Amino acid sequence: MTRSLLLIALCGVLAACTADTPDPAQIATGARVYEQHCAACHGAKLEGQPNWRERLPNGRLPAPPHDESGHTWHHADELLFAITKHGMVAPYAPPGYESDMPGFGDRLTDEEIRAVLAFIASHWTSRQVRDARAEILRNARH
């Protein structure tokens, strides 16, 4: 009985450790989809558009970077998924907010959106960003 409980506990620990392990196939799919649907605005290297914090003449903000220099990693996974699927519209943006970020729910499957987000997240490698993101995700779950 004790051995069975120990094995069950060990399996639970191993499952928890691998739950956040990036899937190379998913990341590769995400890279392909990102190149086709996102890179034109957010940059081939996730660098975003120049002066992305300064409003354009039309009042909208340029596309932000998705690398560590941007703010994408500051947001919970659920919010990033919703913005990608539905666009930068309420309730994911303030009412009346105008953005050039379209929703991709009519062009991409949920799995493709998750793959793009996994590809983007695979570029957040610094210890500082990983630690901050882990805290953000912990807080989002509560």
Side-chain angles (χ1 to χ4, degrees):
M1 179 72 169
T2 303
R3 179 177 268 177
S4 296
L5 290 175
L6 181 60
L7 285 173
I8 290 170
L10 181 60
C11 287
V13 168
L14 289 174
C17 289
T18 60
D20 292 331
T21 302
D23 174 6
Q26 183 186 40
I27 291 171
T29 297
R32 179 183 49 78
V33 175
Y34 179 91
E35 182 180 331
Q36 293 172 344
H37 296 278
C38 312
C41 293
H42 292 282
K45 296 179 182 175
L46 289 80
E47 72 274 14
Q49 294 177 339
N51 304 313
W52 63 274
R53 291 184 172 136
E54 297 174 21
R55 293 201 179 274
L56 299 169
N58 67 5
R60 296 179 179 191
L61 290 168
H66 290 314
D67 61 15
E68 291 186 359
S69 71
H71 59 81
T72 307
W73 62 267
H74 295 174
H75 302 294
D77 293 341
E78 296 79 18
L79 178 60
L80 295 174
F81 179 87
I83 290 170
T84 307
K85 184 168 184 162
H86 303 291
M88 190 59 121
V89 297
Y92 318 113
Y97 183 81
E98 292 190 24
S99 171
D100 292 326
M101 174 64 187
F104 286 88
D106 62 341
R107 289 169 268 184
L108 301 177
T109 66
D110 288 359
E111 293 76 21
E112 288 172 320
I113 293 171
R114 286 188 186 93
V116 167
L117 295 174
F119 166 71
I120 292 169
S122 74
H123 290 80
W124 304 331
T125 58
S126 75
R127 177 78 175 197
Q128 180 181 3
V129 168
R130 285 193 330 244
D131 290 350
R133 180 136 173 87
E135 183 176 346
I136 289 165
L137 297 179
R138 271 193 310 276
N139 291 335
R141 291 182 189 123
H142 295 104

